[in-house]
């Protein structure tokens, strides 16, 4: 289903409709990769950043429009503080090293999650990444950082409820669509596919609302080993599936 790029660098697809508009990735397995290779966990996270760079390049090359990566969850605060600090350091390094290139490639960066508890300089870097790429339009990179799906839904529902309470919205307008408009990910479309590496088979509070009808692809590869071949494999699996959204499939027709 996924064709090789044409000579001009733009991929050609036999069936463009088979390509998902928005892909979410749960980047899991950095620590286990490091352990397997006799390295400190921090080295696993460093290799994970390299895998992220390659995956962002591959997503653009293959013609995706939206990619959202789960880089730090609200539950990750439960990890040892040394590891949390190392994750913050890698985010700083990624933005400082890659922002200029991403900006030149017409990539728009969006950040999803709460800023509660984050160091001030990390918040400033996240804001800078969003502001400096706000005018870009070729590719959309969402970074879910200090993010939790349930917490996001609660904040969105609170915002809608406050508007109802102040008369800005009618109670009849408190709908699924209203909540969707107040989620961090708006105006990203809901993900068509969510990939999880690391041999686990759960969503771990990632895009809880948005992923209701996403195709789930669980891969045995650990995140530092992920790259273009694995992304192609996941896209092939997506293209082979029939999405029914609660309706009847083609065979029932």
């Amino acid at each position: 289903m996924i064709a090789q790029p044409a000579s001009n660098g733009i991929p050609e697809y036999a069936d463009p409709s088979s390509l998902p508009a928005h892909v979410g990735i749960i980047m899991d397995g950095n620590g286990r990769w490091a352990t397997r290779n006799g390295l400190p966990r921090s080295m696993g996270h460093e290799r994970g950043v390299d895998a992220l760079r390659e995956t962002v390049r591959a997503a653009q090359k293959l013609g995706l429009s939206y990619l959202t990566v789960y880089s730090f969850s609200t539950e990750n605060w439960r990890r040892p503080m040394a590891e949390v600090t190392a994750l913050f350091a890698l985010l700083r390094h990624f933005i400082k090293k890659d922002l200029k290139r991403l900006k030149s490639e017409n990539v728009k960066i969006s950040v999803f999650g709460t800023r509660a508890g984050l160091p001030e300089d990390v918040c400033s870097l996240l804001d800078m990444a969003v502001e400096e790429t706000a005018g870009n339009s070729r590719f959309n990179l969402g970074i879910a950082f200090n993010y939790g799906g349930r917490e996001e839904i609660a904040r969105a529902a609170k915002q809608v409820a406050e508007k109802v309470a102040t008369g800005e919205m009618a109670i009849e307008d408190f709908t699924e669509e209203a909540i969707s408009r107040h989620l961090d990910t708006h105006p990203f479309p809901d993900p068509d596919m969510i990939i999880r590496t690391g041999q686990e088979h759960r969503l771990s509070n990632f895009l809880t609302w948005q992923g209701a009808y996403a195709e789930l692809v669980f891969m045995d590869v650990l995140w530092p080993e992920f790259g273009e071949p694995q992304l192609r494999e996941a896209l092939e699996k997506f293209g082979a599936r029939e999405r029914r959204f609660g309706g009847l499939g083609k065979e029932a027709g």
Side-chain angles (χ1 to χ4, degrees), residues 161-250:
E162 288 174 345
K163 291 183 177 180
V164 170
T166 60
E168 186 177 345
M169 288 178 58
I171 186 64
E172 294 80 11
D173 296 328
F174 199 142
T175 61
E176 290 183 20
E177 291 76 14
I179 292 178
S180 292
R181 289 195 305 270
H182 288 79
L183 294 172
D184 295 349
T185 54
H186 181 76
F188 274 39
D190 288 344
D192 301 295
M193 174 173 67
I194 294 177
I195 302 167
R196 178 166 188 154
T197 62
Q199 304 170 340
E200 302 290 354
H201 296 81
R202 54 179 178 269
L203 291 179
S204 296
N205 208 15
F206 179 57
L207 300 180
T208 308
W209 177 284
Q210 303 89 328
Y213 279 100
E215 294 295 320
L216 307 180
V217 176
F218 299 106
M219 307 188 75
D220 289 339
V221 64
L222 301 177
W223 176 247
E225 302 164 337
F226 193 92
E228 182 177 335
Q230 291 73 28
L231 181 58
R232 284 181 175 272
E233 178 184 345
L235 293 174
E236 294 282 358
K237 291 180 179 179
F238 175 86
R241 295 184 184 181
E242 180 185 358
R243 305 184 75 199
R244 296 189 294 273
F245 300 97
L248 298 177
K250 295 177 182 178

Side-chain angles (χ1 to χ4, degrees), residues 20-247:
H22 182 190
V23 173
I25 302 183
I26 302 172
M27 306 181 295
D28 191 26
N30 291 338
R32 273 164 286 163
W33 178 88
T35 299
R36 286 183 184 180
N37 288 278
L39 300 169
R41 289 178 63 87
S42 60
M43 288 297 297
H45 294 305
E46 288 186 26
R47 287 294 295 269
V49 172
D50 292 336
L52 173 59
R53 289 192 183 99
E54 180 178 348
T55 301
V56 171
R57 293 190 188 99
Q60 296 176 74
K61 174 182 175 181
L62 296 174
L64 298 181
S65 298
Y66 295 85
L67 175 69
T68 298
V69 295
Y70 202 11
S71 57
F72 185 80
S73 78
T74 50
E75 287 78 25
N76 285 156
W77 289 102
R78 301 171 186 169
R79 296 187 178 187
M81 187 50 62
E83 184 170 346
V84 171
T85 300
L87 289 170
F88 289 164
L90 288 174
L91 175 73
R92 294 182 182 101
H93 180 69
F94 175 75
I95 293 178
K96 291 177 180 177
K97 182 175 180 179
D98 291 65
L99 180 57
K100 183 177 180 180
R101 176 181 57 80
L102 293 172
K103 186 177 179 179
S104 69
E105 293 174 353
N106 203 11
V107 174
K108 181 176 182 177
I109 298 174
S110 299
V111 178
F112 312 134
T114 177
R115 302 298 174 87
L118 293 180
E120 184 176 343
D121 71 308
V122 168
C123 293
S124 296
L125 282 173
L126 292 173
D127 290 340
M128 181 178 69
V130 171
E131 292 168 3
E132 292 198 7
T133 62
N136 292 349
S137 58
R138 178 174 177 269
F139 182 79
N140 293 272
L141 174 61
I143 301 175
F145 194 85
N146 204 24
Y147 173 90
R150 290 183 175 181
E151 189 274 339
E152 177 192 28
I153 295 168
R155 280 192 288 108
K158 182 179 179 181
Q159 291 175 37
V160 176
E162 288 174 345
K163 291 183 177 180
V164 170
T166 60
E168 186 177 345
M169 288 178 58
I171 186 64
E172 294 80 11
D173 296 328
F174 199 142
T175 61
E176 290 183 20
E177 291 76 14
I179 292 178
S180 292
R181 289 195 305 270
H182 288 79
L183 294 172
D184 295 349
T185 54
H186 181 76
F188 274 39
D190 288 344
D192 301 295
M193 174 173 67
I194 294 177
I195 302 167
R196 178 166 188 154
T197 62
Q199 304 170 340
E200 302 290 354
H201 296 81
R202 54 179 178 269
L203 291 179
S204 296
N205 208 15
F206 179 57
L207 300 180
T208 308
W209 177 284
Q210 303 89 328
Y213 279 100
E215 294 295 320
L216 307 180
V217 176
F218 299 106
M219 307 188 75
D220 289 339
V221 64
L222 301 177
W223 176 247
E225 302 164 337
F226 193 92
E228 182 177 335
Q230 291 73 28
L231 181 58
R232 284 181 175 272
E233 178 184 345
L235 293 174
E236 294 282 358
K237 291 180 179 179
F238 175 86
R241 295 184 184 181
E242 180 185 358
R243 305 184 75 199
R244 296 189 294 273
F245 300 97

